Amino acid sequence: MASPLILYGSLVDSISLTHLRYLSNALICINQHGIIDWLVPNVPSSSVASVLSEKGLKGTQVTQLKKGQFLSPGFIDTHTHAPQHPNLGTGGQYQLLDWLENVTFPREARFKDVDYSRKVYERVVKRTLDLGTTTSCYYGSLHLESTKVLADVVHAGGQRGFVGKCNMDSNCPSTYIEPSPSASIADTVSLISHIRSLPASSPTSTPLVQPIITPRFAISCSAPLLQGLGDLVRSEKEAGTEVAVQTHLGENHGEIAFTKEIFAGANERGGMKNGWDGSYAGVYESFGLLGERTILAHCVHLEETELQTIKRTNSGISHCPTSNLNLRSGCAKVGEMLERGIKVGLGTDCSGGYESGILSQIRSASTTSKLISMASPSSAPSSPETPPPEAATSTPRYSTLPQLPLPTLFHLATLGGASLCGLDKVVGNFEVGKEFDALLVDLGEERGNGALWFDEEEGGEEGWLEGGFEQWIWTGDDRNIAKVWVQGRLVGGKDL
Ligand code: GUN
Ligand code: FE
């Protein structure tokens, strides 16, 4: 039997929307299946050997973290487009619909070429792992074969992920469109079985790669296609093999107007069976595509009824702040969503967003929340930055705060993202029994990030952790991510 991985040092994780946990001298044991077996905080170094003996692990090798190093849960990217990564940093002059036509569809069309796809996808998976993304929700292109390759590459790279091929049979260029609803659905079914056939790393562990049904957005899908996908979601659920869904919602004013126009027409022609409330979210709901495993990207411009629909169906929202600023889509009102108890995670939305990691999305989400409060200064006091203590057990009134507090931002990046993906019982923090998806963060100057001014002498033996963590969030980058584990396996980071 392989011996467990035992780490000894500091860690930070999210335990709720309002609370971070900082532990020093924690002894943590990860078993051979990658599961956190036990965690003992505040173990003096003189007691490490005796704790190990008590646990029946006398003499097992312990990896000791240095001062300036700590463990963080891995990041969860709840929305990204793998085939768009070669476009990163281009196209920011456009808004959504022109950007799709001029920049994005031409790039994605190239993924007909499976060899090209493999080359790109290998780089995407390696790069995002090194940036600390341990779970990623991937859109592929519309192509079945290249999206199978994406799933293979995610699996081989040891990243946790959801992989879907785009469904798109309408309002797309003739060079990049599916021929019919039935072809689109047949390819989706084929991708789902391919992904389910990928081997788990051990008989007891959760499969790392899961399928996700991916209607690109309502505009690109005919009513029969959305109906077919809704039927597929229902039949999978009835078979006990519930499958996740991801799509876009309420990103841009032109997109919303066009969506309503298209589906008002479909409704008049009797194309929408289950009743439709006239909203964009209502399109997805009427075809059975909203449920607790649905991830809705963007949600910048939502109507009251749409917020209610999302809450009622227990769907979740992927907040993609860099993309929303870059394509001038707007500022999503995350505070309002959280106040209503809607699940929210962060997404890079590459290449609508030009940054592939989640640390940068934490910063963009903060900027977005500050822009919102600056636009309505009367409702936003200048302090406090953190919720008052009485809010400890309830959700703070985010709309009265001048910005999203750090514990909330970090929650979105980790545990909140896990909930959105239906993985909050599996990953997202260091609760005993969860799988070990984690980063070893190193604030040391020798890591070469001159922007991060961490001073070992400040804060004493234990007090450095809170300040150092905050500095990492705002000035850290991949140079400070020394190791990345998924399910206890070392799969990325600068030390690999
Ligand atoms: N809506 C439909 N397709 C896309 C896409 O690729 N990116 C973004 N940001 N929005 C979309
Ligand atoms: Fe997107």
Side-chain angles (χ1 to χ4, degrees):
M1 194 175 80
S3 59
L5 172 66
I6 312 245
L7 300 163
Y8 176 55
S10 300
L11 67 83
V12 184
D13 66 354
S14 168
I15 50 173
S16 72
L17 269 169
T18 51
H19 282 77
L20 291 169
R21 171 171 71 158
Y22 298 94
L23 294 183
S24 294
N25 299 323
L27 196 58
I28 180 167
C29 171
I30 296 105
N31 72 18
Q32 74 273 26
H33 303 299
I35 293 168
I36 302 169
D37 232 357
W38 48 263
L39 188 165
V40 186
N42 305 316
V43 181
S45 53
S46 55
S47 309
V48 169
S50 63
V51 173
L52 287 180
S53 289
E54 275 167 36
K55 301 284 185 187
L57 291 169
K58 189 170 175 205
T60 309
Q61 194 198 326
V62 176
T63 302
Q64 178 157 7
L65 311 193
K66 294 186 300 199
K67 190 171 174 190
Q69 294 184 328
F70 60 89
L71 299 173
S72 160
F75 291 127
I76 302 198
D77 187 345
T78 59
H79 182 77
T80 193
H81 298 259
Q84 293 177 25
H85 280 240
N87 279 355
L88 285 171
T90 71
Q93 69 273 36
Y94 292 109
Q95 285 196 302
L96 177 65
L97 298 179
D98 293 330
W99 171 82
L100 285 171
E101 184 182 329
N102 291 293
V103 183
T104 304
F105 289 152
R107 170 66 65 181
E108 289 191 19
R110 292 183 56 183
F111 285 72
K112 191 170 188 287
D113 178 342
V114 174
D115 294 332
Y116 174 70
S117 306
R118 182 178 295 279
K119 235 168 64 188
V120 170
Y121 292 155
E122 283 176 348
R123 182 165 159 183
V124 169
V125 170
K126 166 143 190 26
R127 176 71 184 141
T128 56
L129 277 172
D130 286 345
L131 284 162
T133 304
T134 48
T135 299
S136 195
C137 299
Y138 285 113
Y139 270 61
S141 61
L142 64 72
H143 310 99
L144 172 61
E145 290 310 319
S146 77
T147 310
K148 284 186 189 167
V149 167
L150 173 58
D152 295 349
V153 168
V154 174
H155 183 262
Q159 195 173 37
R160 199 182 292 276
F162 292 80
V163 175
K165 63 157 246 79
C166 282
N167 301 105
M168 42 194 291
D169 71 341
S170 301
N171 302 303
C172 296
S174 58
T175 48
Y176 191 55
I177 190 165
E178 294 182 291
S180 66
S182 55
S184 181
I185 289 160
D187 282 358
T188 303
V189 169
S190 169
L191 180 66
I192 292 172
S193 34
H194 176 78
I195 292 173
R196 288 183 178 153
S197 74
L198 295 170
S201 38
S202 83
T204 51
S205 53
T206 340
L208 283 184
V209 187
Q210 295 188 48
I212 186 162
I213 294 177
T214 306
R216 179 171 204 122
F217 64 160
I219 291 174
S220 73
C221 298
S222 64
L225 176 53
L226 290 174
Q227 186 62 60
L229 294 174
D231 292 345
L232 183 56
V233 168
R234 185 167 35 80
S235 63
E236 288 287 332
K237 191 169 180 170
E238 284 166 5
T241 50
E242 198 164 8
V243 65
V245 176
Q246 60 183 352
T247 190
H248 295 91
L249 175 67
E251 180 176 1
N252 162 288
H253 291 300
E255 170 213 21
I256 295 166
F258 190 26
T259 302
K260 289 183 173 180
E261 183 188 319
I262 295 168
F263 288 92
N267 198 35
E268 268 171 36
R269 292 189 299 276
M272 298 171 74
K273 276 188 260 167
N274 305 321
W276 173 49
D277 66 6
S279 72
Y280 187 167
V283 172
Y284 296 132
E285 187 179 29
S286 72
F287 290 110
L289 290 163
L290 297 187
E292 63 178 2
R293 299 296 308 279
T294 303
I295 299 172
L296 300 162
H298 301 284
C299 296
V300 177
H301 310 284
L302 293 184
E303 297 165 10
E304 174 60 29
T305 56
E306 294 180 295
L307 282 161
Q308 290 173 11
T309 301
I310 292 168
K311 173 72 182 150
R312 172 168 37 77
T313 55
N314 199 17
S315 304
I317 293 172
S318 173
H319 176 41
C320 305
T322 299
S323 170
N324 294 341
L325 295 171
N326 188 42
L327 297 182
R328 282 173 292 133
S329 301
C331 294
K333 297 190 189 68
V334 171
E336 242 179 66
M337 299 164 184
L338 295 174
E339 273 178 25
R340 288 168 187 259
I342 293 172
K343 295 174 287 185
V344 185
L346 295 179
T348 56
D349 190 38
C350 294
S351 66
Y354 46 78
E355 298 159 321
S356 353
I358 288 296
L359 257 186
S360 54
Q361 299 314 304
I362 293 178
R363 297 169 198 162
S364 263
S366 170
T367 301
T368 296
S369 73
K370 290 177 184 182
L371 287 171
I372 290 173
S373 86
M374 286 192 290
S376 54
S378 57
S379 66
S382 57
S383 65
E385 195 210 318
T386 28
E390 63 270 23
T393 51
S394 60
T395 306
R397 296 206 37 235
Y398 285 103
S399 46
T400 66
L401 298 177
Q403 60 205 44
L404 290 178
L406 181 57
T408 306
L409 292 164
F410 194 69
H411 180 89
L412 301 182
T414 55
L415 189 55
S419 298
L420 194 56
C421 299
L423 289 175
D424 49 317
K425 299 275 185 298
V426 183
V427 294
N429 61 13
F430 296 124
E431 228 176 84
V432 170
K434 287 191 177 182
E435 300 186 7
F436 189 67
D437 285 16
L439 318 180
L440 173 61
V441 178
D442 188 338
L443 306 175
E445 195 177 345
E446 69 285 0
R447 290 283 165 181
N449 176 5
L452 206 167
W453 286 81
F454 171 68
D455 184 345
E456 281 205 18
E457 304 311 315
E458 278 177 31
E461 214 34 65
E462 294 186 3
W464 62 270
L465 184 57
E466 287 199 30
F469 173 75
E470 187 176 12
Q471 281 184 295
W472 174 58
I473 291 292
W474 302 108
T475 63
D477 62 32
D478 56 312
R479 287 169 295 189
N480 304 107
I481 299 179
K483 296 187 198 305
V484 178
W485 293 272
V486 172
Q487 215 169 51
R489 248 180 85 203
L490 190 60
V491 290
K494 279 280 177 281
D495 290 355
L496 189 65

